[in-house]
Protein backbone atom coordinates (compact mmCIF):
# COMPACT_ATOMS: atom_id res chain seq x y z
CA UNK A 1 0.00 0.00 0.00
CA UNK A 2 3.04 2.26 0.27
CA UNK A 3 2.69 3.39 -3.34
CA UNK A 4 -1.09 3.79 -3.12
CA UNK A 5 -1.93 7.21 -4.55
CA UNK A 6 -5.34 7.35 -6.21
CA UNK A 7 -8.44 5.75 -4.72
CA UNK A 8 -11.96 5.54 -6.13
CA UNK A 9 -14.64 4.48 -3.65
CA UNK A 10 -18.12 3.40 -4.76
CA UNK A 11 -20.82 3.38 -2.09
CA UNK A 12 -24.35 1.98 -2.09
CA UNK A 13 -27.33 1.76 0.21
CA UNK A 14 -25.49 -0.58 2.61
CA UNK A 15 -23.29 2.25 3.89
CA UNK A 16 -26.38 4.16 5.06
CA UNK A 17 -28.27 1.13 6.39
CA UNK A 18 -26.95 1.58 9.92
CA UNK A 19 -28.09 5.21 9.82
CA UNK A 20 -31.62 3.86 9.46
CA UNK A 21 -32.13 4.35 5.71
CA UNK A 22 -33.69 1.34 3.99
CA UNK A 23 -31.67 -0.53 1.37
CA UNK A 24 -33.39 -1.49 -1.89
CA UNK A 25 -33.06 -5.25 -2.11
CA UNK A 26 -33.36 -8.08 0.39
CA UNK A 27 -35.81 -8.54 3.24
CA UNK A 28 -37.72 -5.33 3.98
CA UNK A 29 -35.87 -3.44 1.21
CA UNK A 30 -37.62 -0.56 -0.54
CA UNK A 31 -38.21 -2.57 -3.70
CA UNK A 32 -40.12 -5.14 -1.66
CA UNK A 33 -42.42 -2.43 -0.37
CA UNK A 34 -42.85 -0.58 -3.70
CA UNK A 35 -42.65 -1.75 -7.29
CA UNK A 36 -39.85 -0.07 -9.23
CA UNK A 37 -42.23 0.36 -12.17
CA UNK A 38 -44.67 2.31 -9.96
CA UNK A 39 -42.30 4.86 -8.47
CA UNK A 40 -38.90 4.89 -10.14
CA UNK A 41 -39.33 5.25 -13.88
CA UNK A 42 -40.18 8.19 -16.16
CA UNK A 43 -43.27 6.24 -17.28
CA UNK A 44 -44.48 5.99 -13.66
CA UNK A 45 -44.11 9.76 -13.30
CA UNK A 46 -46.13 10.38 -16.49
CA UNK A 47 -48.80 7.94 -15.36
CA UNK A 48 -49.20 8.95 -11.72
CA UNK A 49 -47.09 11.97 -10.75
CA UNK A 50 -48.74 12.27 -7.32
CA UNK A 51 -47.76 8.76 -6.33
CA UNK A 52 -44.16 9.32 -7.42
CA UNK A 53 -43.90 12.76 -5.78
CA UNK A 54 -45.38 11.39 -2.54
CA UNK A 55 -42.89 8.51 -2.49
CA UNK A 56 -39.90 10.85 -2.91
CA UNK A 57 -41.34 13.49 -0.56
CA UNK A 58 -41.49 10.83 2.14
CA UNK A 59 -37.95 9.69 1.49
CA UNK A 60 -36.65 13.29 1.35
CA UNK A 61 -38.27 13.99 4.70
CA UNK A 62 -36.96 10.76 6.23
CA UNK A 63 -33.31 11.18 5.24
CA UNK A 64 -33.19 14.60 6.83
CA UNK A 65 -33.82 12.97 10.21
CA UNK A 66 -30.93 10.47 9.79
CA UNK A 67 -27.34 10.93 10.82
CA UNK A 68 -24.04 9.76 9.31
CA UNK A 69 -22.60 6.62 10.89
CA UNK A 70 -18.97 5.64 11.59
CA UNK A 71 -18.54 4.40 7.98
CA UNK A 72 -19.39 7.81 6.48
CA UNK A 73 -17.21 9.47 9.11
CA UNK A 74 -14.23 7.21 8.39
CA UNK A 75 -14.43 7.94 4.64
CA UNK A 76 -14.60 11.68 5.31
CA UNK A 77 -11.53 11.36 7.55
CA UNK A 78 -9.68 9.41 4.87
CA UNK A 79 -10.61 12.02 2.25
CA UNK A 80 -9.21 14.83 4.39
CA UNK A 81 -6.01 12.98 5.29
CA UNK A 82 -5.53 12.05 1.64
CA UNK A 83 -6.03 15.63 0.45
CA UNK A 84 -3.28 16.71 2.84
CA UNK A 85 -0.79 14.37 1.18
CA UNK A 86 1.04 15.52 -1.91
CA UNK A 87 -0.10 14.10 -5.24
CA UNK A 88 -2.85 11.82 -3.94
CA UNK A 89 -6.45 11.76 -5.03
CA UNK A 90 -9.58 10.23 -3.60
CA UNK A 91 -13.04 10.27 -5.13
CA UNK A 92 -16.24 9.01 -3.52
CA UNK A 93 -18.83 7.93 -6.08
CA UNK A 94 -22.14 7.20 -4.45
CA UNK A 95 -25.30 5.60 -5.77
CA UNK A 96 -27.06 7.00 -2.73
CA UNK A 97 -29.40 9.94 -2.95
CA UNK A 98 -28.91 10.85 0.72
CA UNK A 99 -26.35 13.46 1.82
CA UNK A 100 -24.74 11.52 4.65
CA UNK A 101 -21.25 11.55 3.09
CA UNK A 102 -21.39 15.34 2.91
CA UNK A 103 -22.82 15.70 6.40
CA UNK A 104 -19.95 13.54 7.69
CA UNK A 105 -17.59 16.09 6.13
CA UNK A 106 -16.67 14.55 2.75
CA UNK A 107 -16.35 17.09 -0.07
CA UNK A 108 -15.35 15.15 -3.13
CA UNK A 109 -18.54 13.17 -3.71
CA UNK A 110 -20.26 12.39 -7.02
CA UNK A 111 -23.93 11.39 -6.80
CA UNK A 112 -24.33 9.20 -9.87
CA UNK A 113 -28.02 8.53 -9.12
CA UNK A 114 -28.82 12.12 -8.17
CA UNK A 115 -29.84 13.52 -4.80
CA UNK A 116 -33.04 13.83 -2.82
CA UNK A 117 -32.13 17.32 -1.72
CA UNK A 118 -32.39 18.76 -5.22
CA UNK A 119 -35.43 19.52 -7.28
CA UNK A 120 -34.98 19.56 -11.04
CA UNK A 121 -37.06 21.89 -13.15
CA UNK A 122 -38.09 20.11 -16.33
CA UNK A 123 -38.95 23.51 -17.84
CA UNK A 124 -35.69 25.47 -17.39
CA UNK A 125 -33.41 22.51 -16.53
CA UNK A 126 -32.08 24.20 -13.35
CA UNK A 127 -31.49 22.19 -10.17
CA UNK A 128 -32.35 23.88 -6.86
CA UNK A 129 -31.66 22.69 -3.36
CA UNK A 130 -34.94 21.36 -2.02
CA UNK A 131 -35.78 20.19 1.48
CA UNK A 132 -39.57 20.47 1.40
CA UNK A 133 -42.24 18.65 -0.56
CA UNK A 134 -42.94 18.61 -4.30
CA UNK A 135 -46.42 17.09 -4.34
CA UNK A 136 -47.99 20.52 -3.93
CA UNK A 137 -46.41 21.59 -7.29
CA UNK A 138 -44.32 24.50 -5.99
CA UNK A 139 -42.86 27.03 -8.41
CA UNK A 140 -39.32 26.65 -9.67
CA UNK A 141 -37.26 29.33 -7.86
CA UNK A 142 -35.51 30.04 -11.15
CA UNK A 143 -38.27 30.30 -13.79
CA UNK A 144 -41.52 30.04 -11.84
CA UNK A 145 -42.82 27.01 -13.74
CA UNK A 146 -44.62 24.36 -11.74
CA UNK A 147 -42.54 21.63 -13.30
CA UNK A 148 -40.26 20.35 -10.56
CA UNK A 149 -39.37 16.68 -10.19
CA UNK A 150 -36.98 14.91 -7.81
CA UNK A 151 -33.41 15.11 -9.08
CA UNK A 152 -32.94 11.36 -8.90
CA UNK A 153 -32.02 9.02 -11.72
CA UNK A 154 -34.86 6.67 -12.54
CA UNK A 155 -34.60 3.31 -14.24
CA UNK A 156 -34.17 3.89 -17.95
CA UNK A 157 -32.38 7.23 -17.38
CA UNK A 158 -28.68 7.94 -17.76
CA UNK A 159 -26.66 8.08 -14.50
CA UNK A 160 -24.79 11.33 -13.84
CA UNK A 161 -21.07 12.07 -13.96
CA UNK A 162 -20.04 8.99 -15.94
CA UNK A 163 -17.17 10.74 -17.72
CA UNK A 164 -15.62 11.94 -14.48
CA UNK A 165 -16.07 8.52 -12.91
CA UNK A 166 -14.36 6.67 -15.76
CA UNK A 167 -11.59 9.29 -15.86
CA UNK A 168 -10.97 8.71 -12.13
CA UNK A 169 -10.98 4.93 -12.61
CA UNK A 170 -8.35 5.23 -15.33
CA UNK A 171 -6.08 7.06 -12.86
CA UNK A 172 -6.85 4.84 -9.88
CA UNK A 173 -4.58 2.39 -8.05
CA UNK A 174 -7.41 1.04 -5.92
CA UNK A 175 -11.16 0.68 -6.40
CA UNK A 176 -13.22 0.00 -3.27
CA UNK A 177 -16.90 -0.93 -3.34
CA UNK A 178 -18.87 -0.49 -0.11
CA UNK A 179 -22.41 -1.63 0.71
CA UNK A 180 -23.75 -2.30 -2.77
CA UNK A 181 -25.38 -5.44 -4.12
CA UNK A 182 -23.83 -5.19 -7.59
CA UNK A 183 -27.28 -5.50 -9.17
CA UNK A 184 -27.53 -2.19 -11.02
CA UNK A 185 -25.39 -1.14 -13.97
CA UNK A 186 -23.29 0.77 -14.82
CA UNK A 187 -22.06 0.90 -11.18
CA UNK A 188 -22.09 -2.90 -10.97
CA UNK A 189 -19.62 -2.99 -13.87
CA UNK A 190 -17.02 -0.66 -12.32
CA UNK A 191 -15.18 -3.57 -10.72
CA UNK A 192 -14.66 -5.20 -14.13
CA UNK A 193 -13.70 -1.88 -15.68
CA UNK A 194 -11.19 -1.38 -12.88
CA UNK A 195 -9.75 -4.86 -13.30
CA UNK A 196 -9.39 -4.39 -17.04
CA UNK A 197 -7.38 -1.26 -16.25
CA UNK A 198 -5.13 -3.16 -13.83
CA UNK A 199 -6.57 -1.40 -10.77
CA UNK A 200 -6.61 -3.35 -7.46
CA UNK A 201 -10.15 -4.02 -6.20
CA UNK A 202 -11.65 -4.47 -2.73
CA UNK A 203 -15.23 -5.09 -1.63
CA UNK A 204 -16.61 -4.27 1.83
CA UNK A 205 -20.17 -5.55 2.21
CA UNK A 206 -22.41 -7.15 4.81
CA UNK A 207 -22.54 -10.35 2.78
CA UNK A 208 -21.15 -11.65 -0.49
CA UNK A 209 -22.69 -9.72 -3.38
CA UNK A 210 -23.47 -10.63 -6.98
CA UNK A 211 -20.09 -9.20 -7.96
CA UNK A 212 -17.93 -10.56 -5.13
CA UNK A 213 -16.04 -12.98 -7.35
CA UNK A 214 -14.73 -10.12 -9.46
CA UNK A 215 -12.92 -8.45 -6.58
CA UNK A 216 -9.30 -9.21 -5.62
CA UNK A 217 -10.50 -9.20 -2.03
CA UNK A 218 -13.95 -9.25 -0.45
CA UNK A 219 -14.55 -8.65 3.26
CA UNK A 220 -17.88 -9.27 4.94
CA UNK A 221 -19.38 -7.36 7.87
CA UNK A 222 -21.27 -4.20 8.78
CA UNK A 223 -19.93 -1.04 7.15
CA UNK A 224 -19.75 0.75 10.51
CA UNK A 225 -17.03 -1.73 11.55
CA UNK A 226 -15.36 -2.69 8.24
CA UNK A 227 -14.90 0.80 6.85
CA UNK A 228 -13.18 2.42 9.88
CA UNK A 229 -10.98 -0.68 10.13
CA UNK A 230 -9.95 -0.45 6.46
CA UNK A 231 -9.39 3.31 6.67
CA UNK A 232 -7.15 2.76 9.69
CA UNK A 233 -5.15 0.19 7.69
CA UNK A 234 -4.71 2.53 4.73
CA UNK A 235 -3.59 5.44 6.87
CA UNK A 236 -1.15 3.27 8.83
CA UNK A 237 0.43 1.68 5.78
CA UNK A 238 0.68 4.59 3.38
P1 LIG B 1 -29.07 -2.70 -2.55
O1 LIG B 1 -30.22 -2.61 -1.63
O2 LIG B 1 -29.26 -3.38 -3.86
O3 LIG B 1 -27.85 -3.42 -1.83
C1 LIG B 1 -27.40 -3.03 -0.58
C2 LIG B 1 -26.21 -3.89 -0.19
O4 LIG B 1 -25.74 -3.42 1.06
C3 LIG B 1 -26.53 -5.38 -0.05
O5 LIG B 1 -25.55 -6.16 -0.73
C4 LIG B 1 -26.47 -5.62 1.46
O6 LIG B 1 -25.95 -6.90 1.81
C5 LIG B 1 -25.49 -4.53 1.89
N1 LIG B 1 -25.66 -4.09 3.28
C6 LIG B 1 -26.80 -4.00 4.00
N2 LIG B 1 -26.55 -3.54 5.22
C7 LIG B 1 -25.22 -3.31 5.29
C8 LIG B 1 -24.33 -2.84 6.30
N3 LIG B 1 -24.76 -2.48 7.51
N4 LIG B 1 -23.01 -2.75 6.01
C9 LIG B 1 -22.54 -3.10 4.79
N5 LIG B 1 -23.32 -3.56 3.80
C10 LIG B 1 -24.64 -3.65 4.03
O7 LIG B 1 -28.53 -1.20 -2.76
P2 LIG B 1 -27.57 -0.63 -3.89
O8 LIG B 1 -26.59 -1.64 -4.32
O9 LIG B 1 -27.07 0.67 -3.41
O10 LIG B 1 -30.95 2.95 -7.92
O11 LIG B 1 -28.60 -0.38 -5.06
C11 LIG B 1 -28.15 0.16 -6.26
C12 LIG B 1 -29.24 0.98 -6.89
O12 LIG B 1 -30.42 0.19 -7.01
C13 LIG B 1 -29.70 2.16 -6.07
O13 LIG B 1 -28.89 3.30 -6.22
C14 LIG B 1 -31.07 2.42 -6.61
C15 LIG B 1 -31.57 0.98 -6.60
O14 LIG B 1 -32.60 0.69 -7.43
C16 LIG B 1 -31.89 3.74 -8.42
O15 LIG B 1 -32.90 4.05 -7.81
C17 LIG B 1 -31.60 4.21 -9.82
Amino acid sequence: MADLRNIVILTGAGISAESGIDTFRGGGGLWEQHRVEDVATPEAFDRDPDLVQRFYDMRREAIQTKQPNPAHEALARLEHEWAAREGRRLLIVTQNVDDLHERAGAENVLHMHGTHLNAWCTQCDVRSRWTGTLIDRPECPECGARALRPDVVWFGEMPYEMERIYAALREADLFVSIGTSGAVYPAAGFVRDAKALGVATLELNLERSQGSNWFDESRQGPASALVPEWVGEVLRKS
Side-chain angles (χ1 to χ4, degrees), residues 16-225:
S16 297
E18 290 163 86
S19 295
I21 299 180
D22 289 340
T23 60
F24 294 93
R25 295 171 183 80
L30 267 183
W31 296 152
E32 270 197 355
Q33 303 162 42
H34 308 270
R35 289 177 354 131
V36 167
E37 312 87 76
D38 290 340
V39 293
T41 66
E43 294 76 21
F45 190 55
D46 286 345
R47 203 168 47 236
D48 193 345
D50 281 1
L51 177 73
V52 174
Q53 296 284 23
R54 198 174 303 115
F55 174 73
Y56 288 98
D57 280 354
M58 277 165 44
R59 295 207 67 209
R60 189 180 309 106
E61 190 184 355
I63 63 163
Q64 291 177 73
T65 67
K66 310 299 181 194
Q67 301 304 326
N69 68 53
H72 301 101
E73 284 157 8
L75 291 188
R77 187 169 74 248
L78 179 62
E79 188 199 270
H80 282 262
E81 301 259 351
W82 221 240
R85 298 177 188 198
E86 178 96 23
R88 302 194 184 209
R89 285 201 293 266
L90 184 146
L91 176 67
I92 299 172
V93 176
T94 188
Q95 298 168 89
N96 297 345
V97 289
D98 66 55
D99 63 338
L100 296 184
H101 285 304
E102 287 88 345
R103 279 200 270 143
E107 289 169 23
N108 208 10
V109 184
L110 297 184
H111 283 267
M112 64 180 290
H113 290 166
T115 157
H116 271 327
L117 296 177
N118 274 353
W120 172 19
C121 180
T122 54
Q123 195 72 41
C124 71
D125 202 31
V126 167
R127 270 103 174 152
S128 312
R129 184 167 166 86
W130 206 268
T131 52
T133 54
L134 289 175
I135 185 136
D136 33 340
R137 305 287 189 280
E139 290 180 0
C140 167
E142 203 59 34
C143 74
R146 296 185 184 275
L148 297 174
R149 59 162 273 186
D151 187 16
V152 299
V153 174
W154 287 326
F155 284 88
E157 295 183 324
M158 186 68 88
Y160 299 159
E161 308 280 12
M162 295 309 296
E163 276 181 29
R164 285 172 71 188
I165 296 168
Y166 286 124
L169 279 175
R170 282 194 293 275
E171 301 288 310
D173 306 303
L174 176 64
F175 169 71
V176 187
S177 170
I178 302 172
T180 174
S181 61
V184 175
Y185 285 82
F190 290 165
V191 59
R192 270 170 278 178
D193 298 326
K195 277 188 90 75
L197 291 161
V199 178
T201 55
L202 168 67
E203 175 182 59
L204 308 176
N205 205 50
L206 189 61
E207 59 204 1
R208 287 186 68 78
S209 73
Q210 293 185 28
S212 288
N213 286 337
W214 290 98
F215 288 86
D216 298 328
E217 189 188 351
S218 177
R219 300 182 189 173
Q220 277 81 53
S224 64

